[in-house]
Amino acid sequence: MLRLALVFLLVMAGTAQALPRDASCRVPGVHDPDVIRAVHTAGLSLGVSDKVMLAGFEAGWVESHMNNLACGDADSLGVFQQRPSMGWGTPEQIMDVSYAAHRFFERAVKLDRPDLTPGLLADEVQRSCCPERYDLAVGRASFLLRQAWQGGPEVVGGAVYVVEDGDVWVDRTRLSTSGDFVGRPSVAGRFVFARTSRGDVVALADGVWRPVWSGVGGDPEAVLRPDGTVALYAVLADGSVAKLSDPPAMIGMGGASPQGAGQSGSIPLSPRGFAAGKPSVIVQPDGAAAVYVRSGSALVVSAPGGWREIARGLDASPEVVLRPDGTVGVFTLVNGRPHRLATTWEPLGDSRFIDTVSAQPDGTVYARKADGTVLKVG
């Protein structure tokens, strides 16, 4: 009787709501775009079936609204609310979304049977009290899975670049036909950089896509130096931040086409497990670069001697711009709403958006709605 009553309540609510019962554990009402991408990337790297992938997204939504929670019932942690005491790993490992997702998918593959729906398969992994709740989240999970294949906007010179249905587009013109791109593109000069579902970075120049790097876990950030060359940054698959390219041997040598960058050319900027999502980089007129990344819920910036925390509360990757007066503007999404950083995070409006924001030096900010529409906000 109790189970039937619970199912009735879940159906009436329109979505499955497991979530931590601990009232002190705050669960955002919206998903974390960096988390859905990390879970998606983990599933793709293991070659899981569509059913297993959907099971992961159903479990992630039910357990945490697809957020990497540092709290939960008892000792539960992370996007899947895995418990160290039940052998899922150390707290540090479970809080690594890629690790947690790999553990979920590896177990799901072993437990899968033809008679299991994606939701019942999720329950086989999670061993919950209420197996029905995961399939009740199929609509939301399917929506988030579609979003994992998309990204942007990147707005440069008034042109809007996005990834949609696995391809890179600019102002409704398709730039690729592989159907294999994910995340947000990055534009520097005449080069367009984008990430594939396999974790490769490729560059478009002169109408040709060329491989640049492999083994990234987040979207690339390409910036122009004062001398016209391109520098490329990314969070690698192990969670470390790295500078991927340098003028002598990498891409962007003046007007030349990008060349394949050797893996040995990367410069590590942080330890493993340090960051997630897309870095944002500003370059000063003298060529000095500052790298901003999301580390947990903290916004940190590279500084002499290490990294410095400047804010907390991020729900998405940061976007940093250098204003004409030489000051720095910092923007992000908090609970799906665009914010800028002053003494605290200040909202730019009440509308909800997904993915990341694209900010301009004049303070204009663009963001993408769930239906793919890109709007100017603030």
Side-chain angles (χ1 to χ4, degrees), residues 16 28 53 79 96 116 120 146 154 203-204 217 318 333 362 366 372 374:
M53 183 74 82
V79 59
D96 179 334
L116 295 176
L120 292 178
R146 289 193 300 274
E154 170 90 335
L204 174 66
L333 292 177
D362 65 0
Y366 296 85
V374 175

Side-chain angles (χ1 to χ4, degrees), residues 28-48:
V30 295
H31 70 276
D32 181 332
D34 291 335
V35 167
I36 66 169
R37 291 218 182 117
V39 173
H40 187 229
T41 297
L44 291 172
S45 71
L46 293 172
V48 303

Side-chain angles (χ1 to χ4, degrees), residues 314-336:
L314 283 77
D315 289 342
S317 298
E319 172 83 339
V320 184
V321 294
L322 186 63
R323 302 187 182 104
D325 63 1
T327 60
V328 174
V330 183
F331 304 85
T332 192
L333 292 177
V334 178
N335 288 326

Side-chain angles (χ1 to χ4, degrees), residues 249-343:
M250 304 301 173
I251 58 176
M253 288 291 292
S257 298
Q259 303 299 314
Q263 300 296 94
S264 61
S266 68
I267 301 173
L269 303 178
S270 79
R272 296 181 178 182
F274 182 75
K278 178 183 179 295
S280 188
V281 181
I282 58 171
V283 179
Q284 299 288 347
D286 64 359
V291 183
Y292 294 74
V293 294
R294 178 186 176 194
S295 182
S297 66
L299 171 65
V300 296
V301 59
S302 58
W307 293 85
R308 177 171 58 90
E309 180 179 317
I310 59 176
R312 283 193 167 270
L314 283 77
D315 289 342
S317 298
E319 172 83 339
V320 184
V321 294
L322 186 63
R323 302 187 182 104
D325 63 1
T327 60
V328 174
V330 183
F331 304 85
T332 192
L333 292 177
V334 178
N335 288 326
R337 295 182 175 90
H339 283 63
R340 66 169 164 243
L341 183 62
T343 54

Side-chain angles (χ1 to χ4, degrees), residues 61 91 103 200 210 232 311 329:
W61 176 257
R103 290 296 309 275
D200 300 327
R210 293 180 173 88
L232 190 63

Side-chain angles (χ1 to χ4, degrees), residues 331 338-340 346-351 353 363-367 375-378:
F331 304 85
H339 283 63
R340 66 169 164 243
E346 296 179 346
L348 298 178
D350 292 329
S351 297
F353 295 87
T364 304
V365 178
Y366 296 85
L375 301 176
K376 188 184 298 185
V377 298

Side-chain angles (χ1 to χ4, degrees), residues 49-115:
S49 67
D50 291 345
K51 173 183 172 182
V52 171
M53 183 74 82
L54 184 57
F57 273 68
E58 288 186 10
W61 176 257
V62 168
E63 302 292 352
S64 67
H65 281 176
M66 274 291 192
N67 289 274
N68 195 27
L69 302 180
C71 56
D73 294 330
D75 61 340
S76 299
L77 294 168
V79 59
F80 298 107
Q81 289 290 279
Q82 294 160 334
R83 299 182 62 181
S85 62
M86 301 299 291
W88 284 100
T90 66
E92 292 76 16
Q93 288 173 323
I94 292 172
M95 289 300 295
D96 179 334
V97 177
S98 179
Y99 171 90
H102 273 85
R103 290 296 309 275
F104 178 94
F105 285 128
E106 287 165 353
R107 183 160 179 79
V109 168
K110 293 178 181 178
L111 294 173
D112 190 20
R113 304 191 307 270
D115 62 304

